[in-house]
Amino acid sequence: MLNRKDVIVVGGGMVGSAAALGLAKLGLSVQLIEQGSLPHFSADQPYDIRISAISVASVNLLTELQAWQPILAMRACPYRTLETWEIDGFSTAFHSCDLGLNELGYMVENNLIQLGLWQTFPDYPNLSSQLNADIQQMEKCGHDWQLRLTSGECYHAPLVLACDGANSKLRQIAGIGLTGWQYRQSCMLILVDTALAQQDITWQQFSPSGPRAFLPLLGNQGCLVWYDSPERIRELQKMPLEKLDKEIAQAFPARLGAVKSRQAAAFPLTRRHAQDYYKNGIVLLGDSAHTINPLAGQGVNLGFKDVNVFLEVIAKAQKCGQAIDDETVLARYQRLRQKDNLLMQSGMDLFYKGFKEDILPLKILRNLALIAVDKVSPIKKQALKYALGLA
């Protein structure tokens, strides 16, 4: 059976489902194709280890899409302070009250964001979705792309959104190249029970082998982020959780308090950036276009910024009577997002490399810089606004 749509979105994770929902809200007929199944949630289930620090700007987008309340009804932990330091006494702290906000953002499991978005789909009859769907064939047929699934369904659309992740197959089909590199570091996430009461601060301390960070969760729980060499992370992964607790006590600052590890996972740090954000009617959003050092938790927030800008560009095209797949429309999206994503990637790299060097003069300089930023209110506010996607 042949189904013609205005847009086909491939990948129904956080970014893909937000894009599909936003386009449906603009009145377009949308087909969403997701390879996996939807996650299950019950209030008593343990935290999933894939957790994102959702910024205020991302919350605003999710609220606009009417998905934020369903997410909040499941599980989300607000944080109101963000602090970073290398040497005790030389720190920069950002507070929600600096910008007159109730919170800087929320810690939310990725699968709950996805689930909250999917729960709003029934409100839009012009949005159709397929789960557990594999693409058997994809080819350009005149002006349209034709996607045939292994289940037999066939869809046509002039515009296809590639929201299928860092190893995007659609990016390859479009013939879009990548620039990037490995950071020669890995990152370990550890879900822990904390002896300290529930906190509303996320903090990060730099060390010569990599940062150590704490993400607050509801109750006496948290997620630790441990950056280190791939060899060291592999060593930690092999340890029983009881032994890992002892390693955490030695590696993390005393302010963490006693913890009990529940679950751990690790991944290598990689930077990727697509050379183009669109080609031949295929548009890249989120990880298919860029992956970033997770140092400041900007990954999914940059993806949601892609979605927000793309929706604004499409809405403007509709008002002007332009076709949504017009080259000038897609070029506008690329122009607005490519430089911003590159700036954030480069900023995180500069920050990461600047704190990696264990040279005394540089160490003194960067710690004095942290104190200076903390004292200079306009710079501090602007940096905070940019990090939260408000500038």
Side-chain angles (χ1 to χ4, degrees):
M1 182 182 175
L2 183 64
N3 296 291
R4 196 174 194 285
K5 304 288 182 178
D6 294 319
V7 186
I8 298 170
V9 180
V10 178
M14 297 182 286
V15 169
S17 52
L21 195 55
L23 291 168
K25 199 175 173 192
L26 292 175
L28 298 168
S29 63
V30 182
Q31 179 64 46
L32 177 60
I33 298 169
E34 166 56 31
Q35 191 176 36
S37 55
L38 275 184
H40 167 75
F41 174 75
S42 63
D44 58 349
Q45 74 185 39
Y47 268 95
D48 187 271
I49 203 158
R50 294 165 303 168
I51 294 164
S52 292
I54 300 299
S55 71
V56 172
S58 294
V59 170
N60 290 342
L61 173 65
L62 292 167
T63 301
E64 253 183 73
L65 297 174
Q66 287 147 6
W68 183 240
Q69 285 307 315
I71 293 167
L72 272 183
M74 289 182 282
R75 191 159 57 195
C77 179
Y79 66 95
R80 297 176 177 86
T81 304
L82 188 159
E83 187 175 356
T84 187
W85 78 96
E86 181 178 20
I87 300 170
D88 287 336
F90 294 77
S91 70
T92 295
F94 300 92
H95 306 279
S96 56
C97 59
D98 293 341
L99 296 180
L101 300 171
N102 291 324
E103 57 277 316
L104 295 177
Y106 290 79
M107 299 296 171
V108 193
E109 294 149 274
N110 293 1
N111 58 13
L112 299 192
I113 298 171
Q114 180 192 18
L115 198 54
L117 286 159
W118 277 71
Q119 284 177 10
T120 65
F121 286 6
D123 295 336
Y124 296 91
N126 53 325
L127 170 56
S128 302
S129 57
Q130 285 265 63
L131 289 164
N132 303 306
D134 287 310
I135 298 172
Q136 184 180 61
Q137 187 182 28
M138 181 172 172
E139 59 183 347
K140 197 77 182 279
C141 299
H143 187 62
D144 286 0
W145 279 99
Q146 177 180 290
L147 279 73
R148 188 177 298 279
L149 307 184
T150 52
S151 56
E153 289 94 340
C154 189
Y155 300 99
H156 272 237
L159 193 62
V160 179
L161 302 193
C163 304
D164 53 340
N167 299 313
S168 172
K169 289 181 181 177
L170 267 71
R171 185 181 61 227
Q172 295 172 34
I173 290 169
I176 297 174
L178 282 175
T179 56
W181 57 79
Q182 297 280 346
Y183 286 100
R184 296 181 186 172
Q185 268 210 325
S186 289
C187 178
M188 190 174 192
L189 303 174
I190 312 162
L191 286 174
V192 297
D193 292 338
T194 62
L196 298 177
Q198 202 277 321
Q199 302 169 61
D200 66 353
I201 179 171
T202 180
W203 50 255
Q204 182 167 247
Q205 181 180 30
F206 290 92
S207 76
S209 60
R212 312 280 187 262
F214 171 77
L215 314 180
L217 301 175
L218 296 174
N220 287 53
Q221 295 179 88
C223 181
L224 307 183
V225 189
W226 188 333
Y227 297 79
D228 219 310
S229 68
E231 297 77 21
R232 176 60 171 151
I233 295 297
R234 281 195 294 270
E235 182 186 329
L236 292 168
Q237 280 185 286
K238 292 175 184 175
M239 292 180 183
L241 293 179
E242 295 79 10
K243 189 175 180 186
L244 182 59
D245 291 342
K246 293 176 183 175
E247 296 292 328
I248 290 169
Q250 291 180 359
F252 278 72
R255 69 187 289 173
L256 174 63
V259 298
K260 186 174 180 59
S261 300
R262 294 297 182 186
Q263 187 185 349
F267 56 91
L269 299 186
T270 307
R271 168 174 165 161
R272 296 185 185 94
H273 198 226
Q275 292 166 0
D276 296 291
Y277 278 23
Y278 74 95
K279 195 173 183 180
N280 298 325
I282 295 177
V283 183
L284 311 184
L285 287 88
D287 284 354
S288 67
H290 47 79
T291 59
I292 189 171
N293 191 314
L295 193 65
Q298 287 296 321
V300 70
N301 293 310
L302 290 182
F304 282 143
K305 282 180 82 173
D306 291 350
V307 172
N308 199 42
V309 169
F310 185 72
L311 294 176
E312 287 174 358
V313 165
I314 295 299
K316 187 175 181 181
Q318 287 178 312
K319 284 180 182 176
C320 297
Q322 282 183 290
I324 60 170
D325 63 320
D326 190 287
E327 287 273 322
T328 58
V329 173
L330 304 182
R332 197 177 302 135
Y333 160 69
Q334 175 172 288
R335 187 173 63 253
L336 290 169
R337 290 305 303 139
Q338 200 171 39
K339 284 184 180 177
D340 186 53
N341 286 327
L342 188 59
L343 179 64
M344 183 63 82
Q345 283 182 321
S346 301
M348 288 303 100
D349 284 349
L350 188 65
F351 207 61
Y352 171 78
K353 289 173 183 174
F355 276 89
K356 208 166 182 289
E357 296 296 333
D358 198 26
I359 302 167
L360 187 58
L362 183 58
K363 202 169 184 176
I364 293 168
L365 187 63
R366 66 197 179 210
N367 280 277
L368 288 173
L370 283 177
I371 288 184
V373 169
D374 194 58
K375 301 297 181 190
V376 182
S377 192
I379 294 175
K380 187 177 174 181
K381 282 187 178 180
Q382 193 58 33
L384 184 55
K385 279 184 178 179
Y386 183 66
L388 297 179
L390 300 174

